[in-house]
Amino acid sequence: MSIEVSEEIIRNFHLFWDNYPAPVMLVHKSRNIIAANKIGQEIGCPVGGRCVDIGEKKHHASCKANRALQERTGVRDVAYVEHLGQVVDGYWIPLAGVEDVYVHFGNDITEWAAERLVPKKEECSGTDCGSCSAA
């Protein structure tokens, strides 16, 4: 699939996002990744590939891209992401003046998240594992 996005948009994406301390992607509504910042590239966000093909399908169940594109406004979702073990503050932000393209990123806010967002770890009885001093 050929997606037309100007070089200026891609250049500006990198100008604004390359030094951001979390992965950031510029994505088409088809879920094709147009660009990824430095960290995104380092962790394997496949430019030219599809973001929904990263990991398991169930990991994308809470995606807000369609809502953001329909409403033409940024959408935020804060949730515990089990496969990452993190509370993620996620964003889907449509580009102003550009149809069908949005910026997507999420920040790990586990350290600052309300306790109600983080599932309780099962208490160790000391008899079922060898990972604590009670064993």
Side-chain angles (χ1 to χ4, degrees), residues 59-75:
H59 298 159
H60 303 276
S62 63
C63 178
K64 305 290 188 255
N66 287 341
R67 181 172 149 211
L69 290 170
Q70 274 183 325
E71 296 176 5
R72 297 297 307 153
T73 188
V75 176

Side-chain angles (χ1 to χ4, degrees), residues 50-115:
R50 291 169 28 99
C51 59
V52 295
D53 295 332
I54 299 171
E56 298 178 41
K57 296 290 181 203
K58 67 182 180 181
H59 298 159
H60 303 276
S62 63
C63 178
K64 305 290 188 255
N66 287 341
R67 181 172 149 211
L69 290 170
Q70 274 183 325
E71 296 176 5
R72 297 297 307 153
T73 188
V75 176
R76 178 184 186 203
D77 185 40
V78 177
Y80 181 76
V81 179
E82 187 174 346
H83 69 278
L84 297 176
Q86 301 173 346
V87 176
V88 175
D89 187 8
Y91 295 84
W92 296 259
I93 306 169
L95 261 59
V98 179
E99 287 294 314
D100 304 330
V101 176
Y102 61 97
V103 172
H104 177 48
F105 63 97
N107 300 304
D108 174 6
I109 62 166
T110 308
E111 181 179 344
W112 304 278
E115 286 184 30

